[in-house]
Structures are given as C-alpha cells and as structure tokens.
Amino acid sequence: MLNHYTYGALPVLKSYQQALAHWEKTIPIRGDVNGTKPAGRRDQKWLAIYIRDTDKAVCVGSTWHKGQGRAMLEYHPDGRVVIGMQISASCRERIQRIAGLHIQRKYNEDWVLATAYVDGEEVVGHYPLQLKHNSPRKAAFIISENKSATYLNPVPTYKHTINRQEKAKLTKQYKPFMDYVEAMSKLSADETVHTEWSKESKDNPRLPMLDHNARKELGLSVHSLKWSSEGPAEFIKLVDSGDTESWYKAMVWLSAGHWRILLSDAKLDVIHMLYGQHRDELFTKERVDAGKCIYDRYARYFR
C-alpha cells in the first residue's frame, strides 16, 4: 500500500490535455542525463511522465519500460486513456489516484468498474482487464469528469464448468500411473524422517528423487515442471507411453525443483497438468451476463 505522501504526490490526470499540461510544467530532475520528469515524488524518478516518439502519447510509467512501447498509463491525442501493461497492487493504487479508474483484485483477476457497450447495450458493472505479461492486449478507456469511465474494448466474461463424465474417464485412464507413483514412493520411504511439521507420514511419503547428473543421463529437463512452458505436454507423453521406463522418468521429473516432493503434492501437480492438457474436452465455456464479477475456479487453465 502506498503511503500518504507518495499517494498525494501523484497528479490527477483524466485526459490527454491534462497529461500534456502536467508534462509541460514538470521540471526535469537536476543532473539526470536523460532529462527525466517524475510523475510524482521527485525522489522516485523511476516513475516518469514522458511523450512517446512513435505516437505522441503522454505516458506515465517506469523508466525501464520506456523503450518497450508500453506504459502503466498512456494518454493518446484522440482522447483514449490506455492501461498498457500487466499491473501490480501498487500500480492499481497509482492508476486509481491518477486516472480515477476503480480496479479491484478479485478471484485472481483484475476487474474495473466502468460503463461498456456489450451486444449493443450500455451496461455499468465490473469487467476483467485480462492484461498479461508479454501480451499485446491493452485496455482502453474514455474518462469523463462527472460519470464513470467508458471501457472501449471490454472482454466478454465467461465461466468454465467441468464435465464430470470426462473427468471420471480421465481419472480412470491415469489411475495406473498414480498407483505406480504411490507404490514407488512408499517403497523408497524412510520412516525415520517422518515428522509432524513436514506433513510426511507413512501414507504420505516423499517421492524418490535423482540428483542433477542422474536426471541429465535420463534425458530429463533439470527445471521444474511448473516453470516449463512445454514441460506438462512432455510429461503427459511420458505417462501415455505406458512403459515402466517412461513412468519412472515422469515420476522423477515430478520432484525436479523440490526436495523430494510429498506424494499428496505430486498427485495435485499431476491433476493440474492433466486438466491443462485436456482442457478442451474437460470444460464447457458459458457466457456470463455483462458487468458481473464472477468466480471461475477453472480459469487458470485458460490463462
């Protein structure tokens, strides 16, 4: 949370004209070779206000994003106010102070309170921003003084429901592999290290783990499955092959990046990867009424 001094030092800019006037009257930081003009406190020069050369937009954002064509807030000559990048908690507070946009973090998603035209109808409500890292999408608004902001490119809201029959088929299909993992972890368990604080027990032992060199000899990635974009698909291929050698590789890979992962955590990781790789068969997407902020427990598989 921003302190009172930092929050109060930020300007209120709701239009291109106001942003341009603020940029013109702001004095550059003394001694700065780039002539940086701070957007708020003068001792926080990383948050700057500047004019972008490509489209003459007045931008408010961090200096290290200046050369990437993206900014926290972009004020365009045609009147659009754009959130140009994925935002954090402190960014939400700064945007609320500067542009007056009310953004809330709910259900692991950023929702903005605004007016939007959906299917030809004007609806005031909450809409998802859906701004992701390294995504070209930007959220554009027209901000007025006396009424709520108009969201120019709202994203339709959907909710995903799970198909129970397909889930049962998937569970049955991969049960032999899960039984194999459980049996191998219990065979290699060391009962002398079971402690209450580690959540390790006779029924919830840790999976066997190979060191860095041994994993390389098996041709496995040294990185954790969770941090690999292609890892889950390769993991499912190993499991689908059905032979013991591939199953052993898949089981060892589950512990990569961990100190011998617990059986319960490994089962949960496998479920998440299965759901992610079979999401089109498992989930049904349903349209939600415009302006409603809803909880979608399966949205993670579609981000």
Side-chain angles (χ1 to χ4, degrees):
M1 180 179 290
L2 303 181
N3 61 46
H4 178 73
Y5 176 47
T6 301
Y7 188 84
L10 294 170
V12 177
L13 309 172
K14 294 190 176 183
S15 67
Y16 173 79
Q17 289 75 18
Q18 290 178 354
L20 183 61
H22 184 76
W23 174 82
E24 289 174 343
K25 72 178 183 181
T26 302
I27 301 172
I29 294 174
R30 181 183 297 176
D32 187 89
V33 294
N34 296 316
T36 301
K37 294 185 176 184
R41 291 170 50 175
R42 297 191 66 81
D43 61 340
Q44 295 183 346
K45 69 176 184 179
W46 60 268
L47 184 64
I49 182 168
Y50 57 91
I51 295 182
R52 193 161 54 199
D53 295 333
T54 54
D55 54 6
K56 303 305 178 184
V58 180
C59 299
V60 177
S62 59
T63 51
W64 52 83
H65 286 132
K66 191 173 179 180
Q68 300 178 9
R70 305 178 72 81
M72 182 179 70
L73 283 170
E74 304 170 3
Y75 294 84
H76 292 263
D78 60 5
R80 290 178 298 124
V81 179
V82 173
I83 302 176
M85 57 186 295
Q86 187 180 24
I87 58 176
S88 61
S90 60
C91 285
R92 286 194 291 272
E93 292 187 56
R94 290 184 170 92
I95 291 171
Q96 179 165 326
R97 166 65 177 179
I98 298 172
L101 292 171
H102 296 279
I103 301 173
Q104 297 178 337
R105 186 74 176 176
K106 286 188 176 183
Y107 313 132
N108 203 31
E109 186 74 70
D110 288 321
W111 301 79
V112 61
L113 178 61
T115 301
Y117 290 89
V118 182
D119 298 330
E121 182 181 358
E122 183 182 285
V123 182
V124 179
H126 290 90
Y127 296 89
L129 289 179
Q130 287 198 2
L131 300 173
K132 304 174 185 177
H133 182 62
N134 289 334
S135 170
R137 172 175 162 74
K138 298 182 179 183
F141 301 86
I142 296 293
I143 301 177
S144 304
E145 290 288 345
N146 301 320
K147 62 179 183 179
S148 61
T150 302
Y151 196 177
L152 298 179
N153 57 338
V155 179
T157 307
Y158 293 94
K159 185 175 181 180
H160 299 86
T161 56
I162 196 164
N163 187 323
R164 299 293 172 182
Q165 290 183 341
E166 291 297 328
K167 178 186 174 184
K169 290 180 183 178
L170 206 64
T171 303
K172 184 177 180 181
Q173 178 182 347
Y174 288 94
K175 188 177 185 302
F177 172 72
M178 302 296 284
D179 292 341
Y180 169 81
V181 172
E182 184 172 350
M184 290 293 287
S185 59
K186 288 182 177 180
L187 282 173
S188 63
D190 184 358
E191 296 184 7
T192 62
V193 298
H194 292 170
T195 57
E196 184 178 351
W197 65 267
S198 71
K199 298 182 181 178
E200 187 174 359
S201 66
K202 194 171 184 179
D203 294 325
N204 189 31
R206 296 184 182 275
L207 269 63
M209 184 182 72
L210 299 181
D211 60 22
H212 177 87
N213 293 327
R215 288 203 303 272
K216 286 186 71 174
E217 289 179 6
L218 285 175
L220 289 175
S221 170
V222 296
H223 300 293
S224 169
L225 277 167
K226 291 183 178 180
W227 299 108
S228 172
S229 57
E230 299 177 357
E234 295 297 324
F235 175 84
I236 298 301
K237 283 183 182 179
L238 286 174
V239 177
D240 286 342
S241 64
D243 59 278
T244 307
E245 182 180 353
S246 297
W247 278 10
Y248 180 73
K249 287 182 180 180
M251 178 191 63
V252 171
W253 200 357
L254 283 170
S255 283
H258 299 271
W259 181 80
R260 297 195 65 195
I261 189 173
L262 286 169
L263 176 61
S264 57
D265 293 336
K267 286 182 176 180
L268 195 60
D269 285 351
V270 172
I271 289 172
H272 287 328
M273 285 186 284
L274 287 176
Y275 284 9
Q277 295 301 307
H278 295 84
R279 63 183 190 176
D280 294 331
E281 308 97 72
L282 268 178
F283 302 106
T284 303
K285 187 165 69 171
E286 299 176 0
R287 180 78 175 267
V288 178
D289 291 341
K292 286 191 177 180
C293 185
I294 54 98
Y295 170 64
D296 183 358
R297 64 178 297 186
Y298 301 113
R300 72 169 76 179
Y301 302 110
F302 296 87
R303 287 195 175 97

